[in-house]
Amino acid sequence: MALVLSEEQSMLRDSARGLISDKAPVSHLRQLRDSKDPTGFSRDLWKTFAEMGFSGLLVPESFGGSGLGCVEAGVVMEEIGRTLMPSPFLATAVLAASALSRGGSAAQKSEHLPKISDGTLLAALAIDEGAKHRPLRTNMQAVRSGNGFRLNGAKAFVVDGHTADLLIVAARSAGAAGEREGLTLFLVDPNSKGVETERTAMVDSHNAARIIFDNVELNADSVLGEVDQGYRLMEGVLNIGRGAVAAEMVGLSEEVFGRTVDYLKERKQFGKRIGEFQALQHRAAQLYIDIEITRAAVLKALQSLDADVESAGAAVAVAKARAGSTATLAVQEGVQMHGGMGMTDQFDIGFFMKRARVCQELFGDSNFHADQLARLKNY
């Protein structure tokens, strides 16, 4: 398949870019941060997102969505990356919608997917428990209790967890930490007795939460997918999320590159525009090449996910690893080429550096995915 967007996908990109650049420039994030907004994103803007059909991109048409694929979700994520827009799109419209569509029962789909599509339900995926992304190390306990389960444990780095109306939680119903067998996904109401949510301040001014589960009682209908067989579903959903985050980092990298090139054309030193200095030209050219290669890798991963989620792991690992290293290079070069003022809070480039750092860690950093690729290729 050609590594270019179709006409329809290009139209979706233009639509998303027009809305996001107009309603959510970087100043929008700055205002939310400075006002210490308790939600951390604009609910009015999310409503507009839903009205334009973005929240239902991955929801099947039979449940009120568009029934599109990961490439289309990646298109929107790339535009979100350009302005650093804080939004529940990743947590709700990508991760939760994918989990429910792929693993939900008929009743679960009917109850939740239409609400995701119309923007009235926010959801979050609660996987990680430590400082690094290690899904197989899940140790949260799900013990059988009556006709259901009792959850005990804690989750960290739950994206948009403090605003979620529904939590999708990974817990160990059998086996030991590190084993693939014995993982189960659960649908949990965050208002249930025993659930305690704490919003955590992230360096990039986006949303995350730490959630504690203390003897949370769930019935059998709360199981998403199959008991003890949740790893396959979880890994597929995580790969979709990884592809989406990689697309966000492409948008972020390209925006930083564009801003930096504009600055090189304007800033004068020793009577010349600094963009005339060959050393900076070489560095800018190298960054441009890096971004374009990463863009191709990310689009390939998204296309692979749409073709077959189960066999897309290698392509996703390449894309997420490359996107992380490219975004890191882009923001480092951007800050350095802007000189001392690039380090000041008054200048927007620092916001991109902080977001790139968080996206690098989200769902596995470059080292994690290099290791994943090596294991998949039996190195």
Side-chain angles (χ1 to χ4, degrees):
M1 185 178 293
L3 296 177
V4 294
L5 297 179
S6 68
E7 182 178 352
E8 292 78 9
Q9 291 162 349
S10 297
M11 291 173 63
L12 174 64
R13 177 198 60 199
D14 294 341
S15 177
R17 182 175 298 179
L19 172 64
I20 295 171
S21 62
D22 180 46
K23 300 295 185 181
V26 180
S27 58
H28 173 69
L29 172 62
R30 185 186 291 274
Q31 189 275 326
L32 290 170
R33 184 201 66 174
D34 293 346
S35 66
K36 293 181 171 57
D37 186 273
T39 302
F41 66 89
S42 169
R43 290 188 180 273
D44 288 338
L45 185 52
W46 179 243
K47 182 179 179 181
T48 303
F49 244 56
E51 291 171 350
M52 294 187 68
F54 296 149
S55 61
L57 279 182
L58 297 183
V59 175
E61 292 183 57
S62 56
F63 295 103
S66 303
L68 298 177
C70 294
V71 173
E72 287 78 11
V75 164
V76 176
M77 286 296 295
E78 185 174 331
E79 298 310 313
I80 287 174
R82 291 180 188 278
T83 71
L84 309 178
M85 172 188 172
S87 165
F89 181 79
L90 173 64
T92 298
V94 177
L95 294 168
S98 297
L100 286 161
S101 296
R102 291 173 51 78
S105 65
Q108 290 168 339
K109 292 178 182 179
S110 297
E111 180 180 0
H112 301 301
L113 287 177
K115 294 178 183 178
I116 288 178
S117 183
D118 66 21
T120 58
L121 177 73
L122 299 179
L125 185 66
I127 301 292
D128 289 319
E129 299 176 2
K132 302 290 285 186
H133 178 66
R134 298 289 185 269
L136 276 179
R137 302 303 300 175
T138 295
N139 194 43
M140 182 172 172
Q141 297 299 302
V143 180
R144 290 191 178 274
S145 175
N147 72 332
F149 292 85
R150 182 185 299 115
L151 297 185
N152 277 289
K155 296 293 182 179
F157 202 13
V158 181
V159 177
D160 290 316
H162 77 294
T163 61
D165 306 305
L166 178 70
L167 299 172
I168 301 175
V169 183
R172 188 159 293 285
S173 49
E179 297 178 0
R180 294 193 176 195
E181 300 298 319
L183 288 173
T184 304
L185 296 182
F186 297 91
L187 300 179
V188 182
D189 182 344
N191 296 315
S192 300
K193 182 180 178 181
V195 179
E196 181 180 340
T197 302
E198 175 192 4
R199 183 183 183 183
T200 54
M202 292 204 296
V203 67
D204 66 342
S205 304
H206 282 62
N207 292 324
R210 176 177 171 81
I211 305 177
I212 297 174
F213 300 82
D214 183 12
N215 290 318
V216 179
E217 296 285 349
L218 302 175
N219 59 37
D221 294 335
S222 297
V223 174
L224 181 66
E226 299 180 37
V227 174
D228 296 342
Q229 304 299 314
Y231 176 79
R232 187 175 178 182
L233 172 60
M234 179 181 72
E235 184 67 5
V237 172
L238 284 173
N239 276 337
I240 291 171
R242 290 159 179 158
V245 174
E248 179 181 353
M249 286 193 281
V250 169
L252 180 156
S253 300
E254 188 168 64
E255 179 66 19
V256 170
F257 175 76
R259 289 173 178 243
T260 303
V261 169
D262 288 344
Y263 182 73
L264 294 179
K265 294 176 180 178
E266 297 170 0
R267 175 77 167 113
K268 288 187 176 181
Q269 188 71 24
F270 307 114
K272 298 176 65 176
R273 290 182 175 83
I274 61 175
E276 297 180 48
F277 299 138
Q278 194 173 61
L280 296 183
Q281 291 176 356
H282 288 173
R283 287 166 64 179
Q286 182 59 52
L287 178 56
Y288 173 80
I289 293 169
D290 210 65
I291 292 172
E292 290 305 306
I293 294 173
T294 297
R295 181 192 304 282
V298 171
L299 183 53
K300 175 63 176 178
L302 295 172
Q303 291 174 345
S304 298
L305 286 165
D306 284 335
D308 182 10
V309 170
E310 304 297 337
S311 61
V316 170
V318 170
K320 184 61 167 63
R322 273 209 63 95
S325 59
T326 297
T328 298
L329 176 64
V331 296
Q332 288 177 345
E333 291 285 61
V335 168
Q336 289 186 19
M337 291 187 192
H338 278 85
M341 73 174 185
M343 295 297 295
T344 64
D345 185 69
Q346 289 76 14
F347 207 67
D348 286 345
I349 206 77
F351 282 83
F352 289 90
M353 175 171 273
K354 293 170 183 175
R355 182 58 183 168
R357 189 68 191 92
V358 171
C359 286
Q360 166 80 292
E361 291 293 331
L362 189 57
F363 307 139
D365 61 13
S366 294
N367 290 333
F368 175 89
H369 287 291
D371 180 71
Q372 288 284 90
L373 183 62
R375 292 175 185 274
L376 287 169
K377 297 299 183 180
N378 295 317
Y379 289 168

